[in-house]
Amino acid sequence: MNGLLLLIICCAALLAGYVFYGRYLCRKWGVGENDQPTPAHTMEDGIDYVPAKAPVLMGHHFSSIAGAGPITGPISAAAAGFGWGACALWIVIGGIFFGGVHDFGALFASIRHGGKSIGEIISANMSKRAKRLFLIFSYLTLILVVAAFASIVASTFGATFNEGVLDVAASTSNARVAMVSLLFIVIAIIFGFAVYRRNVPMGMASIIGVVAIVGIIAIGMNFHPIYLSSKAWMWIVGIYIAVASVAPVWILLQPRDYLSSFLLYAMLALAVVAVIVGHPSMSSMPVFQSAESTTPVFPVLFTTIACGAISGFHSLVSSGTTSKQLDKETDAKPIAYGGMLLECVLAVLTLCAIAYAYSWNAANPDSALKGATAIFGGGIAGMIDPSRGAVYEILYTLLVLTYSAFCLTSLDTATRLARFMFQEFWLDGTKGETPDNVTGYKKVLANPYFATIITVVLGILLGMNGYGKIWALFGSANQLLAALGLLAVATWLSNIGKDNKMFLLPMAFMLCVTIASLFINTRTQLGVIAKGGADWGPYAQVVLGVLLIVLAVVLAIEGIMTIYKQWKAHKVAA
């Protein structure tokens, strides 16, 4: 199949899903009923609860949920031997009926619970024990996200040293990305002050912001004097996310994510142009699975392609930061449901880039594109400039910059979310406890600065000391988060007498995917241990894998029993 035709078919299906299924969800849940004010207005504090215009919040939300997932997921699935047909089907069906429902539901439920997280929704509709289990699991998963994304960002900034001597030629591209990223933070702060403290109109500020982005890219491409090792960048990134986690959202989080969204939209547009110009053939990939692949499609495909179809991390973003900034309830559909489907488009574009890259590699083994960054960036740039001239080099650098912007945005959002989780664990929301009104040890543990320091130190240390040894668990853990997010919203809808049927099948499927994946990974790691000579990685994966299976079963039983009791009570009342 031609890549352009695949893109058109997938985009048409996603658009139809947004219009028709999205409208159905709004009607069933009562989105926008009675014109209720959102927590961003009723609980506005100038730090975390700050109303944002829909385009600004869309920039934050889309930048945060995307990260590297919709790019690395399809690339990993292709490397495992899964074909473009299997990947595309899961991206489209998963996005419309799984991921979109999950993200939209989590945001809507959080709005109706005062902007609280999924953990508090579980506490209010299931039990406090279930909340604590969920928060522990979510926090540990976010620490892994912080470690991984900090490492990715540091690697895209870090210079290359050969026996202690700087290799300038090999480090130039990374130095450019680092310089532009630093300047980006500066213009974001200026943008925030201009809009929220000097009341500069959003349209004018956006135009100036886009011009400033072009300007800093031009500066960074020609002036990039900072050449530091990846280790040094890890510490700098740690300091940055510590500050970003506690700073008011209007000064950095909102403006930086909004401005970075222009980069992301530009990348999407560039990728679409590349597919139109290059119209790659998908024949370099199998349709469903290559004959050499021994990796089972179920459950591995559904944990490998996560962010491009459904991802538990999204529910934490929806209920952690986005819900605290939503201006109107009716903005929830385009931001959460639309944001998820836009991410699906990026995943489909990645499939097209993979097909081109694989064709290039077959014809040019000496200059093969290897690694997620090279396959995506080289595939998109190569379709526009097959000769690999100056245009290719410029586009490739810009695509790597955008990829880094994805990761950096998700990184500071994940740090803020982990800070929220750590604080919520020590507070009882049903008693109205907050960091300001508690006393004793809770006063210390629920303090935002203390929670931030603990989170950043754990994340950076794990990132510098082998997070990859347990990274194999992330896919399963992330999809378990998705299953539990679906479960939490389903119990709440059932509790208030709303239709929750659209959650039940996705929830059951993701629980099966998670448990099957954890069993396979645990069995594999036990085999590694049995051979002898294993380091701490396989042992940690076995212990954590078993704990996650138990967690999934316990919370699933508790959630299903809660839904059954609610259904029975409603039936008796009727």
Side-chain angles (χ1 to χ4, degrees), residues 139-267:
Y139 183 76
L140 294 177
T141 303
L142 286 171
I143 291 296
L144 190 55
V145 171
V146 171
F149 282 14
S151 181
I152 291 172
V153 170
S155 67
T156 61
F157 289 178
T160 300
F161 293 87
N162 295 321
E163 297 181 355
V165 179
L166 174 66
D167 186 338
V168 176
S171 306
T172 298
S173 179
N174 283 15
R176 288 170 173 167
V177 172
M179 188 65 183
V180 175
S181 298
L182 292 175
L183 292 174
F184 208 102
I185 294 171
V186 174
I187 66 169
I189 294 173
I190 296 172
F191 183 93
F193 270 106
V195 172
Y196 290 100
R197 288 297 179 268
R198 294 290 179 259
N199 298 316
V200 175
M202 181 61 69
M204 181 186 300
S206 298
I207 294 172
I208 296 172
V210 171
V211 173
I213 291 173
V214 175
I216 65 171
I217 290 175
I219 293 171
M221 294 290 287
N222 296 281
F223 178 71
H224 36 81
I226 304 174
Y227 289 85
L228 300 174
S229 67
S230 296
K231 184 176 181 179
W233 277 116
M234 280 290 283
W235 289 114
I236 294 173
V237 168
I239 294 171
Y240 164 73
I241 60 177
V243 174
S245 173
V246 294
V249 292
W250 63 266
I251 196 173
L252 183 59
L253 188 74
Q254 282 185 3
R256 196 183 76 79
D257 292 358
Y258 174 62
L259 290 176
S260 69
S261 69
F262 287 106
L263 277 177
L264 308 183
Y265 300 146
M267 183 184 73

Side-chain angles (χ1 to χ4, degrees), residues 1 81-89 282-290:
M1 177 182 280
F82 303 135
W84 62 265
C87 294
L89 282 173
M282 305 303 294
S283 61
S284 60
M285 300 168 63
V287 179
F288 287 101
Q289 190 172 21
S290 65

Side-chain angles (χ1 to χ4, degrees), residues 23-47:
R23 183 188 302 160
Y24 165 80
L25 296 176
C26 289
R27 187 173 67 252
K28 287 293 184 180
W29 300 344
V31 178
E33 284 180 346
N34 304 322
D35 197 27
Q36 298 185 38
T38 63
H41 292 283
T42 60
M43 303 176 67
E44 185 173 0
D45 61 5
I47 299 176

Side-chain angles (χ1 to χ4, degrees), residues 370-389:
K370 298 179 181 178
T373 305
I375 289 175
F376 179 76
I380 298 299
M383 281 187 270
I384 295 176
D385 182 13
S387 65
R388 288 198 166 194

